[in-house]
Amino acid sequence: MIVAGIGCRKGAAASDVLAAIGAALDEAHLAAAALDWLAAPAEKGGEAGIVEAAERLQRPLVLVPSDRLQKAGERTVTRSERVVALFKVPSVAEASALAAAGEASRLIVARRVSGAATCALAQSDPPAGTDK
């Protein structure tokens, strides 16, 4: 499973969100079809740019509750002081991806910035004996 974790400034356009996702996918040498989910903090569930990006990619949007975001924040690799002040995690994109992908997940692309949006990719290995 591959999850794109999304962070953004208030009012970010879907084009910025999609560009951030594209940059992360390019770095991982993956196509958009490889994504299983998009994930964002529950507080960002009303952001039109994130919702539109998920719709355009035809992928489910997982909204991560604050407690799960903070727990996954312990495994992030980048840090934004602004994000720490607002969300109590070093990287919203990384924490969202890691939380949605599960406790055994790992980052395959750290936070990438495009305009007003960020994206990180996390991967969890499928259970043995499954295709996904």
Side-chain angles (χ1 to χ4, degrees):
M1 168 184 292
I2 297 177
V3 178
I6 308 299
C8 71
R9 293 188 183 270
K10 186 174 181 160
S15 58
D16 281 348
V17 175
L18 290 167
I21 293 169
L25 288 169
D26 285 349
E27 184 171 329
H29 305 289
L30 295 170
L35 288 178
D36 292 289
W37 297 340
L38 272 61
E43 297 88 347
K44 293 284 184 181
E47 284 292 334
I50 295 174
V51 172
E52 183 181 335
E55 289 172 354
R56 287 174 58 183
L57 291 171
Q58 298 180 338
R59 294 295 181 269
L61 174 60
V62 175
L63 298 176
V64 180
S66 180
D67 61 328
R68 287 186 51 216
L69 194 70
Q70 289 177 13
K71 185 174 181 181
E74 299 168 2
R75 299 187 289 138
T76 62
V77 297
T78 67
R79 183 176 182 87
S80 164
E81 293 305 325
R82 179 181 170 277
V83 172
V84 170
L86 293 170
F87 292 94
K88 312 287 188 264
V89 295
S91 168
V92 163
E94 293 175 9
S96 295
L98 289 164
E103 290 185 16
S105 63
R106 65 190 181 287
L107 285 176
I108 57 173
V109 175
R111 175 185 57 169
R112 294 294 170 255
V113 180
S114 184
T118 61
C119 178
L121 300 178
Q123 182 175 26
S124 61
D125 294 325
T130 66
D131 290 335
K132 215 173 202 184

